[in-house]
Amino acid sequence: MNPLFTAVAALLPSIGVGLLFWFAIRALVNADRTERQAMARMDAAERAAERAAAGEFNRDSTPSD
């Protein structure tokens, strides 16, 4: 057998597992990044709604003569 073929055949399983691991970790990191962006948008919307509600409350509670 060719020694080069033997070396490649010996390294191929490790390279395959390494690629699978890389894709899995990449998917986890991307999912985390997407979740953090979604949470930031939800928090910003919640803060904006609270500010709007507080503004309406302050406007409605001012005494008018």
Side-chain angles (χ1 to χ4, degrees), residues 6-59:
T6 305
V8 169
L11 292 176
L12 196 57
S14 297
I15 292 171
V17 169
L19 284 173
L20 286 174
F21 179 75
W22 182 75
F23 280 117
I25 295 300
R26 182 175 158 212
L28 287 171
V29 169
N30 285 338
D32 183 56
R33 180 183 310 129
T34 303
E35 182 181 5
R36 287 177 188 261
Q37 289 172 348
M39 291 297 289
R41 283 193 302 270
M42 286 175 34
D43 289 342
E46 188 175 302
R47 284 191 303 268
E50 287 174 357
R51 280 192 302 254
E56 288 176 11
F57 177 73
N58 288 341
R59 224 180 310 131

